[in-house]
């Protein structure tokens, strides 16, 4: 049994730093000896730990020493059979998972509102995604969880599918019915891959939802940097069961990730795991108590209210909306001027993302500013706020992804002229990075109106390009065969 109070990779890096008498290997700053003098005081501590595959520091892509031990400690804590450290974020894990599961033209069942990295993985693998229907609850503006019965109907029609890929929790904290979804996947003998980027803290307190591993998922990819304490870009990929080839997954991780992985990032994963094991439950309890206090205080406000649905939600995420017709962008901008920075805003609401780093003082300071915002909202200019357009019903791209990714088969047109034309790109309000239009889908009047509305309110959209007018790429039908 591995000891969770160890941090083997970090400990070995520290030992190496003390022993080193001559650094004749990369990186070029030589543990901070040469670095911008103004910035050096800020970077120096981390530069001391910016090492490479030397001595006993092991190799991420062929681990046999301290990295292997650190990954096994993580697997034990997170309930996996095997865990891989990722230094390219959850994006790298998602893409490598899809490449390991799919050959060109293979069917992949994909939640319609997955993160863009899932669709990038399909493009690289040449897989044909079949989209699970998504829908938005118009009252809350939050996505309705997947129906296991709908997944069953899709798999009956596409029983040759290589895997099912879903997101749980969503950016806004909506949790999928994973045990029921896994039951359906097992019925059709397909692996379940869960983008659990925002759920690394799940299962570590009885008041939190159960993790994907705990619910039986074959692969779970977690952004350890989002909800736990690792550095940005540091994630973990967890595996269990016999449906996943470890050797194939390792091969694609070597292809996707850098051959010079960051040791500070890997060490931060090692330390985030140890901190969660030793202090996590107590710190989570403290944060949950603070959030309970904040939610109770919010009930006293006149204009602001929390947005919820009658489904399982992550209590570490809370979403605010105003009774007045103002956008989330306006509220987020006002808060930013007061030094309070939210995770994201959209045309309706503002999302606040908490972690066990937050304490009572943090929540008190936030409430003070929200109380001020509540009073000032009456002075804000009202905006007409459109609801989310309806996502397309279940289906797949009518064109091959190889056709859609060829630059010569596309043209750029003004967004308001794109209605009825086929998109060759993902069109993604960002954040949260969930595609509104996917490659091969047709721009509808409703979608175009909504995108123009987002631009008018000041939102950012990837896949919409600025010229004299917003423009998008569509398929040049004369040059393309179906």
């Amino acid at each position: 049994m591995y000891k969770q109070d160890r941090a083997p990779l970090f400990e070995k890096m520290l030992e190496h730093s003390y022993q080193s008498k001559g650094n004749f290997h990369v990186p070029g700053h030589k543990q901070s000896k040469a670095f911008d003098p103004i910035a050096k005081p800020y970077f120096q501590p981390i530069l001391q730990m910016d090492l490479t595959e030397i001595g006993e520091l092991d190799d991420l892509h062929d681990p046999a020493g301290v990295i292997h031990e650190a990954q096994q400690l993580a697997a034990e804590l997170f309930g996996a059979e095997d865990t891989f450290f990722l230094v390219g974020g959850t994006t790298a894990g998602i893409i490598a998972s899809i490449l390991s599961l799919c050959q060109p033209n293979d069917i992949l069942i994909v939640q319609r509102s997955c993160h863009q990295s899932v669709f990038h993985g399909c493009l690289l693998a040449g897989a044909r995604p079949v989209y699970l229907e998504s829908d938005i609850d118009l009252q809350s503006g939050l996505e309705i969880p997947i129906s296991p019965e709908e997944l069953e109907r899709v798999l009956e029609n596409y029983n040759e599918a290589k895997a099912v890929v879903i997101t749980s929790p969503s950016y806004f904290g909506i949790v999928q019915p994973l045990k029921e979804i896994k039951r359906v996947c097992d019925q059709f003998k397909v692996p379940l891959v869960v983008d659990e980027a925002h759920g690394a803290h799940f299962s570590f307190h009885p008041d939190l939802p159960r993790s994907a591993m705990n619910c039986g998922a074959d692969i779970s990819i977690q952004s350890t940097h989002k909800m736990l304490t690792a550095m940005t870009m540091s994630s973990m990929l967890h595996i269990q069961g016999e449906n996943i080839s470890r050797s194939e997954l390792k091969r694609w991780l070597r292809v996707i990730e850098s051959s010079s992985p960051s040791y500070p990032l890997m060490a931060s994963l090692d330390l985030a795991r140890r901190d969660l094991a030793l202090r996590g439950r107590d710190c989570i309890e403290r944060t949950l108590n603070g959030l309970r206090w904040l939610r109770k205080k919010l009930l006293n406000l006149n204009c602001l209210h929390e947005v919820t649905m009658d489904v399982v939600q992550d209590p570490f995420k809370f979403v605010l909306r105003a009774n007045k017709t103002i956008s989330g962008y306006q509220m987020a901008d006002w808060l930013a001027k007061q030094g309070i920075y939210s995770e994201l805003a959209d045309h309706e609401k503002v999302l606040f993302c908490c972690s066990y780093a937050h304490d009572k003082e943090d929540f008190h300071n936030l409430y003070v500013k929200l109380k001020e915002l509540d009073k000032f909202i009456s002075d804000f200019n009202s905006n007409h706020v459109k609801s989310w357009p309806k996502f397309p019903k279940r289906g797949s791209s009518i064109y091959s992804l190889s056709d859609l990714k060829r630059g010569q088969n596309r043209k750029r047109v003004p967004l308001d002229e794109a209605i009825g034309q086929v998109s060759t790109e993902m069109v993604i309000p960002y954040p949260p990075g969930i595609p509104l239009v996917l490659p091969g889908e047709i721009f509808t009047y409703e979608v175009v109106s909504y995108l123009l509305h987002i631009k008018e309110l000041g939102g950012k959209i990837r896949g919409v390009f600025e010229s004299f007018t917003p423009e998008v790429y569509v398929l040049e039908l004369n040059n393309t065969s179906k």
Side-chain angles (χ1 to χ4, degrees):
M1 178 68 70
Y2 290 101
K3 294 182 178 179
Q4 290 294 331
D5 60 356
R6 293 276 320 281
L9 177 56
F10 173 72
E11 291 161 7
K12 187 59 68 175
M13 290 166 63
L14 212 56
E15 180 183 315
H16 177 87
S17 295
Y18 293 145
Q19 292 177 347
S20 178
K21 299 297 187 290
N23 182 337
F24 294 93
H25 56 77
V26 297
H29 59 73
K30 307 301 177 187
Q31 291 179 274
S32 82
K33 286 187 69 176
F35 202 75
D36 181 278
I38 295 175
K40 185 173 179 178
Y42 301 96
F43 280 81
Q44 187 162 11
I46 201 70
L47 293 175
Q48 294 289 327
M49 308 296 285
D50 191 17
L51 299 164
T52 190
E53 296 93 340
I54 52 171
E56 298 180 8
L57 294 185
D58 210 357
D59 178 356
L60 177 65
H61 297 299
D62 189 22
V66 289
I67 293 177
H68 172 74
E69 185 180 352
Q71 291 183 150
Q72 286 301 104
L73 281 166
E76 177 186 292
L77 183 67
F78 287 94
E81 292 176 7
D82 297 286
T83 290
F84 299 104
F85 286 179
L86 305 173
V87 293
T90 294
T91 290
I94 288 171
I95 292 174
S97 297
I98 292 172
L99 287 165
S100 73
L101 289 164
C102 294
Q103 299 292 324
N105 295 315
D106 280 346
I107 295 291
L108 192 68
I109 309 300
V110 174
Q111 182 181 344
R112 174 64 182 68
S113 56
C114 276
H115 186 264
Q116 58 184 326
S117 57
V118 172
F119 304 101
H120 289 156
C122 291
L123 283 168
L124 291 172
R128 182 183 163 205
V130 172
Y131 308 131
L132 280 173
E133 182 177 335
S134 293
D135 214 345
I136 298 293
D137 174 56
L138 296 181
Q139 185 173 353
S140 65
L142 300 175
E143 185 180 1
I144 298 170
I146 293 167
S147 161
E149 292 75 22
E150 172 66 10
L151 174 60
E152 189 170 356
R153 285 192 289 271
V154 172
L155 284 170
E156 284 173 352
N157 291 327
Y158 297 95
N159 55 21
E160 74 275 30
K162 297 300 181 181
V164 172
V165 182
I166 66 171
T167 300
S168 183
S170 72
Y171 215 131
F172 289 96
I174 302 299
V175 180
Q176 301 291 347
L178 291 179
K179 286 189 73 68
E180 291 82 0
I181 289 170
K182 174 59 176 171
R183 176 188 54 77
V184 174
C185 290
D186 287 346
Q187 177 184 337
F188 289 88
K189 296 181 173 56
V190 296
L192 173 62
V193 179
V194 180
D195 173 358
E196 199 174 21
H198 288 261
H201 57 309
F202 283 7
S203 287
F204 288 99
H205 189 283
D207 291 343
L208 292 178
R210 298 174 69 184
S211 70
M213 283 286 104
N214 195 250
C215 292
D218 298 275
I219 294 179
S220 161
I221 311 103
Q222 297 176 335
S223 294
T224 321
H225 66 96
K226 286 189 185 330
M227 302 303 291
L228 298 178
T229 57
M231 293 171 65
T232 298
M233 287 184 66
S234 307
S235 295
M236 295 187 193
L237 187 153
H238 307 298
I239 306 175
Q240 62 184 351
E242 302 300 320
N243 290 331
I244 306 300
S245 167
R246 274 62 164 175
S247 60
E248 190 70 5
L249 185 57
K250 288 177 185 177
R251 179 167 79 93
W252 284 109
L253 284 173
R254 287 195 297 272
V255 171
I256 293 299
E257 294 198 284
S258 171
S259 60
S260 301
S262 165
Y263 271 78
L265 295 187
M266 289 189 287
S268 79
L269 287 168
D270 196 19
L271 293 167
R273 184 271 314 154
R274 182 173 74 175
D275 191 56
L276 179 62
L278 300 183
R279 303 191 310 130
R281 180 165 175 141
D282 289 342
C283 293
I284 289 170
E285 176 67 24
R286 180 193 65 194
T287 298
L288 288 171
N289 285 335
L291 282 163
R292 292 183 192 108
W293 175 87
L294 177 62
R295 287 185 162 102
K296 187 175 180 180
K297 298 292 284 185
L298 289 174
L299 296 175
N300 298 324
L301 301 184
N302 294 317
C303 291
L304 292 174
H305 64 276
E306 184 177 10
V307 177
T308 60
M309 277 203 313
D310 189 21
V311 297
V312 178
Q313 291 183 250
D314 177 10
F316 273 31
K317 300 288 185 70
F318 74 97
V319 185
L320 289 185
R321 200 173 188 174
N323 294 332
K324 187 176 179 180
T325 53
I326 61 172
S327 71
Y329 306 123
Q330 290 171 280
M331 293 187 283
D333 287 347
W334 187 93
L335 288 168
K337 290 173 183 174
Q338 314 304 311
I340 300 291
Y341 295 92
S342 57
E343 172 66 15
L344 68 85
D346 66 16
H347 64 300
E348 297 176 312
K349 51 196 179 292
V350 181
L351 170 66
F352 298 85
C353 182
C354 304
S355 81
Y356 72 63
H358 286 117
D359 55 24
K360 187 175 182 179
E361 183 179 359
D362 292 317
F363 293 118
H364 179 267
N365 292 339
L366 175 58
Y367 176 68
V368 168
K369 294 304 178 184
L370 290 176
K371 191 175 180 181
E372 290 180 22
L373 172 60
D374 192 65
K375 293 178 180 177
F376 280 109
I377 281 179
S378 59
D379 296 331
F380 284 26
N381 292 326
S382 293
N383 285 305
H384 170 63
V385 178
K386 287 178 178 284
S387 297
W388 277 82
K390 288 189 70 66
F391 288 118
K393 296 295 184 182
R394 165 171 35 106
S396 61
S397 173
I398 59 175
Y399 295 94
S400 74
L401 292 182
S402 59
D403 276 340
L404 293 171
K405 68 183 179 182
R406 290 183 192 137
Q408 67 268 29
N409 292 332
R410 63 180 188 170
K411 62 181 179 179
R412 199 154 130 174
V413 301
L415 178 57
D416 58 3
E417 296 178 14
I419 297 169
Q421 301 199 58
V422 177
S423 177
T424 62
E425 313 294 322
M426 285 180 283
V427 179
I428 310 162
Y430 204 92
I434 296 170
L436 187 61
V437 182
L438 294 172
E441 291 185 340
I442 293 172
F443 284 100
T444 65
Y445 172 80
E446 188 179 22
V447 164
V448 168
S449 297
Y450 176 78
L451 291 171
L452 290 170
H453 178 61
I454 292 296
K455 295 297 292 182
E456 181 185 347
L457 292 176
K460 297 178 181 178
I461 307 172
R462 294 182 179 179
V464 174
F465 304 90
E466 292 298 334
S467 182
F468 293 108
T469 182
E471 296 181 332
V472 291
Y473 280 107
V474 298
L475 199 61
E476 185 79 79
L477 291 175
N478 292 337
N479 298 328
T480 305
S481 59
K482 291 188 181 181

Short mmCIF file of all heavy atoms in Angstrom, two decimals, residues 209-238:
data_model
loop_
_atom_site.label_atom_id
_atom_site.label_comp_id
_atom_site.label_asym_id
_atom_site.label_seq_id
_atom_site.Cartn_x
_atom_site.Cartn_y
_atom_site.Cartn_z
N PRO A 209 -20.90 15.38 -5.22
CA PRO A 209 -21.33 14.27 -6.08
C PRO A 209 -20.26 13.18 -6.18
O PRO A 209 -19.09 13.40 -5.85
CB PRO A 209 -21.53 14.96 -7.44
CG PRO A 209 -21.75 16.40 -7.13
CD PRO A 209 -20.89 16.68 -5.93
N ARG A 210 -20.66 12.03 -6.65
CA ARG A 210 -19.73 10.92 -6.84
C ARG A 210 -18.92 11.14 -8.11
O ARG A 210 -19.41 11.66 -9.11
CB ARG A 210 -20.50 9.61 -6.91
CG ARG A 210 -21.27 9.29 -5.65
CD ARG A 210 -22.13 8.06 -5.81
NE ARG A 210 -21.34 6.85 -5.93
CZ ARG A 210 -21.87 5.64 -6.17
NH1 ARG A 210 -23.17 5.51 -6.33
NH2 ARG A 210 -21.09 4.58 -6.26
N SER A 211 -17.67 10.70 -8.08
CA SER A 211 -16.78 10.88 -9.22
C SER A 211 -17.12 9.89 -10.34
O SER A 211 -17.83 8.90 -10.12
CB SER A 211 -15.32 10.67 -8.80
OG SER A 211 -15.09 9.30 -8.50
N ALA A 212 -16.58 10.15 -11.53
CA ALA A 212 -16.81 9.27 -12.67
C ALA A 212 -16.21 7.89 -12.42
O ALA A 212 -16.81 6.87 -12.77
CB ALA A 212 -16.22 9.89 -13.93
N MET A 213 -15.01 7.82 -11.83
CA MET A 213 -14.41 6.53 -11.50
C MET A 213 -15.31 5.77 -10.53
O MET A 213 -15.52 4.57 -10.65
CB MET A 213 -13.04 6.73 -10.88
CG MET A 213 -11.91 7.04 -11.84
SD MET A 213 -11.35 5.65 -12.86
CE MET A 213 -12.08 6.04 -14.45
N ASN A 214 -15.84 6.47 -9.56
CA ASN A 214 -16.71 5.86 -8.57
C ASN A 214 -17.99 5.32 -9.19
O ASN A 214 -18.60 4.38 -8.67
CB ASN A 214 -17.03 6.89 -7.48
CG ASN A 214 -17.62 6.27 -6.23
OD1 ASN A 214 -18.78 6.46 -5.93
ND2 ASN A 214 -16.80 5.54 -5.48
N CYS A 215 -18.39 5.93 -10.33
CA CYS A 215 -19.61 5.50 -11.04
C CYS A 215 -19.33 4.48 -12.14
O CYS A 215 -20.25 4.09 -12.86
CB CYS A 215 -20.32 6.72 -11.63
SG CYS A 215 -21.03 7.83 -10.39
N GLY A 216 -18.07 4.07 -12.29
CA GLY A 216 -17.75 2.99 -13.22
C GLY A 216 -17.20 3.40 -14.57
O GLY A 216 -17.00 2.53 -15.44
N ALA A 217 -16.95 4.69 -14.81
CA ALA A 217 -16.43 5.12 -16.11
C ALA A 217 -15.13 4.39 -16.44
O ALA A 217 -14.34 4.05 -15.55
CB ALA A 217 -16.19 6.63 -16.11
N ASP A 218 -14.89 4.15 -17.73
CA ASP A 218 -13.66 3.50 -18.16
C ASP A 218 -12.48 4.47 -18.15
O ASP A 218 -11.37 4.10 -17.77
CB ASP A 218 -13.84 2.91 -19.55
CG ASP A 218 -14.93 1.86 -19.58
OD1 ASP A 218 -14.63 0.69 -19.28
OD2 ASP A 218 -16.09 2.21 -19.87
N ILE A 219 -12.73 5.71 -18.59
CA ILE A 219 -11.72 6.77 -18.58
C ILE A 219 -12.35 8.02 -17.99
O ILE A 219 -13.47 8.37 -18.33
CB ILE A 219 -11.19 7.09 -20.00
CG1 ILE A 219 -10.42 5.91 -20.59
CG2 ILE A 219 -10.30 8.33 -19.98
CD1 ILE A 219 -9.90 6.16 -22.00
N SER A 220 -11.61 8.66 -17.12
CA SER A 220 -12.00 9.98 -16.60
C SER A 220 -10.79 10.88 -16.72
O SER A 220 -9.69 10.51 -16.30
CB SER A 220 -12.44 9.88 -15.15
OG SER A 220 -12.40 11.15 -14.52
N ILE A 221 -10.98 12.06 -17.31
CA ILE A 221 -9.89 13.04 -17.41
C ILE A 221 -10.27 14.25 -16.59
O ILE A 221 -11.33 14.85 -16.80
CB ILE A 221 -9.61 13.44 -18.87
CG1 ILE A 221 -9.48 12.21 -19.78
CG2 ILE A 221 -8.32 14.25 -18.94
CD1 ILE A 221 -10.67 11.92 -20.62
N GLN A 222 -9.42 14.58 -15.61
CA GLN A 222 -9.71 15.65 -14.66
C GLN A 222 -8.67 16.76 -14.77
O GLN A 222 -7.47 16.50 -14.80
CB GLN A 222 -9.70 15.11 -13.23
CG GLN A 222 -10.75 14.07 -12.94
CD GLN A 222 -10.60 13.51 -11.53
OE1 GLN A 222 -9.53 13.53 -10.94
NE2 GLN A 222 -11.70 13.01 -10.98
N SER A 223 -9.15 18.01 -14.76
CA SER A 223 -8.25 19.16 -14.68
C SER A 223 -7.93 19.42 -13.22
O SER A 223 -8.63 20.16 -12.54
CB SER A 223 -8.91 20.40 -15.31
OG SER A 223 -9.08 20.22 -16.70
N THR A 224 -6.87 18.80 -12.75
CA THR A 224 -6.48 18.92 -11.35
C THR A 224 -6.20 20.36 -10.98
O THR A 224 -6.28 20.74 -9.80
CB THR A 224 -5.25 18.03 -11.08
OG1 THR A 224 -5.37 16.80 -11.80
CG2 THR A 224 -5.09 17.74 -9.60
N HIS A 225 -5.90 21.17 -11.97
CA HIS A 225 -5.62 22.59 -11.73
C HIS A 225 -6.89 23.42 -11.58
O HIS A 225 -6.84 24.54 -11.05
CB HIS A 225 -4.76 23.18 -12.86
CG HIS A 225 -5.46 23.22 -14.19
ND1 HIS A 225 -6.11 24.35 -14.66
CD2 HIS A 225 -5.61 22.29 -15.16
CE1 HIS A 225 -6.62 24.11 -15.86
NE2 HIS A 225 -6.34 22.86 -16.18
N LYS A 226 -8.04 22.92 -12.03
CA LYS A 226 -9.25 23.73 -11.99
C LYS A 226 -9.88 23.76 -10.60
O LYS A 226 -10.19 24.82 -10.06
CB LYS A 226 -10.27 23.22 -13.02
CG LYS A 226 -9.95 23.54 -14.47
CD LYS A 226 -11.09 23.20 -15.36
CE LYS A 226 -10.88 23.34 -16.83
NZ LYS A 226 -9.95 24.32 -17.33
N MET A 227 -10.08 22.59 -10.02
CA MET A 227 -10.83 22.51 -8.76
C MET A 227 -9.96 22.08 -7.58
O MET A 227 -10.39 22.14 -6.44
CB MET A 227 -12.00 21.55 -8.92
CG MET A 227 -12.96 21.92 -10.04
SD MET A 227 -13.66 23.59 -9.89
CE MET A 227 -14.70 23.39 -8.46
N LEU A 228 -8.75 21.60 -7.85
CA LEU A 228 -7.79 21.28 -6.81
C LEU A 228 -6.63 22.27 -6.88
O LEU A 228 -6.80 23.37 -7.37
CB LEU A 228 -7.35 19.81 -6.92
CG LEU A 228 -8.49 18.79 -6.73
CD1 LEU A 228 -7.97 17.36 -6.90
CD2 LEU A 228 -9.16 18.96 -5.37
N THR A 229 -5.44 21.89 -6.43
CA THR A 229 -4.39 22.88 -6.20
C THR A 229 -3.18 22.76 -7.13
O THR A 229 -2.15 23.39 -6.88
CB THR A 229 -3.90 22.78 -4.75
OG1 THR A 229 -3.44 21.45 -4.49
CG2 THR A 229 -5.03 23.12 -3.78
N ALA A 230 -3.28 21.98 -8.21
CA ALA A 230 -2.17 21.88 -9.14
C ALA A 230 -2.04 23.15 -9.98
O ALA A 230 -2.95 23.97 -10.03
CB ALA A 230 -2.36 20.66 -10.05
N MET A 231 -0.89 23.29 -10.64
CA MET A 231 -0.66 24.45 -11.49
C MET A 231 -1.41 24.32 -12.81
O MET A 231 -1.70 23.20 -13.26
CB MET A 231 0.85 24.61 -11.75
CG MET A 231 1.65 24.98 -10.51
SD MET A 231 3.44 24.90 -10.78
CE MET A 231 3.65 26.22 -12.00
N THR A 232 -1.72 25.46 -13.43
CA THR A 232 -2.45 25.49 -14.68
C THR A 232 -1.78 24.60 -15.74
O THR A 232 -0.56 24.61 -15.88
CB THR A 232 -2.56 26.93 -15.19
OG1 THR A 232 -3.29 27.69 -14.23
CG2 THR A 232 -3.28 27.00 -16.52
N MET A 233 -2.58 23.86 -16.47
CA MET A 233 -2.21 22.87 -17.49
C MET A 233 -1.97 21.49 -16.91
O MET A 233 -1.73 20.54 -17.65
CB MET A 233 -0.97 23.28 -18.32
CG MET A 233 -1.23 24.39 -19.32
SD MET A 233 0.21 24.76 -20.33
CE MET A 233 0.37 23.23 -21.28
N SER A 234 -2.06 21.34 -15.58
CA SER A 234 -1.77 20.05 -14.96
C SER A 234 -3.06 19.26 -14.75
O SER A 234 -3.95 19.71 -14.04
CB SER A 234 -1.09 20.26 -13.61
OG SER A 234 0.05 21.09 -13.74
N SER A 235 -3.16 18.10 -15.37
CA SER A 235 -4.36 17.27 -15.30
C SER A 235 -3.97 15.82 -15.05
O SER A 235 -2.79 15.46 -15.10
CB SER A 235 -5.17 17.38 -16.60
OG SER A 235 -5.67 18.68 -16.79
N MET A 236 -4.98 14.99 -14.81
CA MET A 236 -4.77 13.56 -14.65
C MET A 236 -5.78 12.79 -15.48
O MET A 236 -6.92 13.21 -15.62
CB MET A 236 -4.92 13.14 -13.18
CG MET A 236 -3.89 13.70 -12.23
SD MET A 236 -4.06 12.95 -10.59
CE MET A 236 -3.02 14.04 -9.61
N LEU A 237 -5.33 11.66 -16.01
CA LEU A 237 -6.20 10.75 -16.75
C LEU A 237 -6.26 9.46 -15.95
O LEU A 237 -5.23 8.83 -15.68
CB LEU A 237 -5.66 10.51 -18.15
CG LEU A 237 -6.53 9.71 -19.12
CD1 LEU A 237 -6.21 10.09 -20.57
CD2 LEU A 237 -6.37 8.20 -18.96
N HIS A 238 -7.47 9.05 -15.57
CA HIS A 238 -7.68 7.84 -14.77
C HIS A 238 -8.33 6.76 -15.63
O HIS A 238 -9.21 7.05 -16.45
CB HIS A 238 -8.57 8.14 -13.57
CG HIS A 238 -8.12 9.28 -12.72
ND1 HIS A 238 -6.91 9.28 -12.05
CD2 HIS A 238 -8.71 10.47 -12.42
CE1 HIS A 238 -6.78 10.41 -11.37
NE2 HIS A 238 -7.85 11.15 -11.59
#
